[in-house]
Amino acid sequence: QVQLKESGPGLVQPSETLSLTCTVSGFSLTSYSVSWVRQPSGKGPEWMGRMWYDGDTAYNSALKSRLSISRDTSKNQVFLKMNSLQTDDTGTYYCTRVATGLDYWGQGVMVTVSS
Amino acid sequence: DIVLTQAPLSVSVTPGESASISCRSSKSLLSSKGITSLYWYLQKPGKSPQLLIYRMSNLASGVPDRFSGSGSETDFTLKISKVETEDVGVYYCAQFLEYPLTFGSGTKLEIK
C-alpha cells in the first residue's frame, strides 16, 4: 500500500539548515510527484514545494530563496533542505503524494526552531 | 496568491444532524479544461490531513457518502449529513488551480 514517512531532526538552531527525508513505498517517484507541506501548530497547512515525477521542481515563492527539494529514485526518497531557519518555521512538516490532489500524507515530523 | 476564506470558524453538531461548511475563493477555480480545482480535507485530532473531496464534488476513495461537495467557480460548500462522532476535527478547503497551492484557515467541527 502507499506509504510516506518523514524523518529528520526534531530541533534546529535558529539560522541553521533543516534537512528532512521522505521515504516512500507503494508507488514510484518516476510516476508520481511528491509535495512538502508544513503546518504551524494550530494553523492551516502551507504548501512548500513539489518534486515532479520527471525530476522538475516547483516552489512556493515565499520560501523559494531558502528552499531546495531533491530526490534519489533508487532509494525512493525525496529530500527537503531549507536554510536560515527562524522560530516561525516551527511546525509539523509533511510529505504528500500528488495525484488527484494530495491524496496520501505521511505522519509528519515535528520541527522546533529554538536555541 | 489565491485566498480561501472559510466559514464558520467552528461548528457544534448533534450526532445525526447535518453540518455545512463554506469556502470562498478570491479567484475562480474553474480551469480552462473545465475542472474546478477545489479540494476538501479533514484533519482529525493528532493526525495528518486526509482527502475527502477532490475537484469540488468527487468523493475520495473510502470516504463515506455522508460527505458531499458542491459549488460554483468561487463559492463552495462541504455538507456532512448525519454527523457521527468520528467526524470531529478541522476541515480545510484547498485550491490546486495554481501555484502556490493554498489552504483555507479551517473550520473546527465539534460534537454537542
Side-chain angles (χ1 to χ4, degrees), chain A residues 18-78:
Chain A
L18 173 66
S19 295
L20 298 177
T21 299
C22 173
T23 303
V24 310
S25 58
F27 69 97
S28 170
L29 292 177
T30 57
S31 298
Y32 289 88
S33 302
V34 168
S35 273
W36 285 94
V37 176
R38 69 178 182 175
Q39 185 174 30
S41 182
K43 295 188 177 181
E46 177 187 28
W47 179 79
M48 301 180 72
R50 172 175 180 167
M51 168 58 71
W52 284 80
Y53 58 87
D54 62 1
D56 199 2
T57 52
Y59 298 106
N60 188 326
S61 56
L63 302 171
K64 190 173 183 176
S65 62
R66 301 195 289 140
L67 184 61
S68 175
I69 298 175
S70 59
R71 70 179 183 177
D72 184 335
T73 56
S74 67
K75 294 184 178 179
N76 295 319
Q77 292 180 326
V78 179

Side-chain angles (χ1 to χ4, degrees), chain A residues 39 50 52 94 101-102 106, chain B residues 41 43 48 92 96 99 101 103:
Chain A
Q39 185 174 30
R50 172 175 180 167
W52 284 80
Y94 299 96
L102 308 177
Chain B
Y41 288 85
Q43 187 169 29
S48 307
Y92 295 100
F96 297 157
Y99 293 131
L101 312 185
F103 292 79

Side-chain angles (χ1 to χ4, degrees), chain A residues 1-6 22-27 29 34 76 95-97 104-107:
Chain A
Q1 71 276 27
V2 172
Q3 290 186 320
L4 303 95
K5 187 171 184 179
E6 307 86 351
C22 173
T23 303
V24 310
S25 58
F27 69 97
L29 292 177
V34 168
N76 295 319
C95 58
T96 74
R97 191 181 78 161
Y104 285 90
W105 295 57
Q107 64 191 21

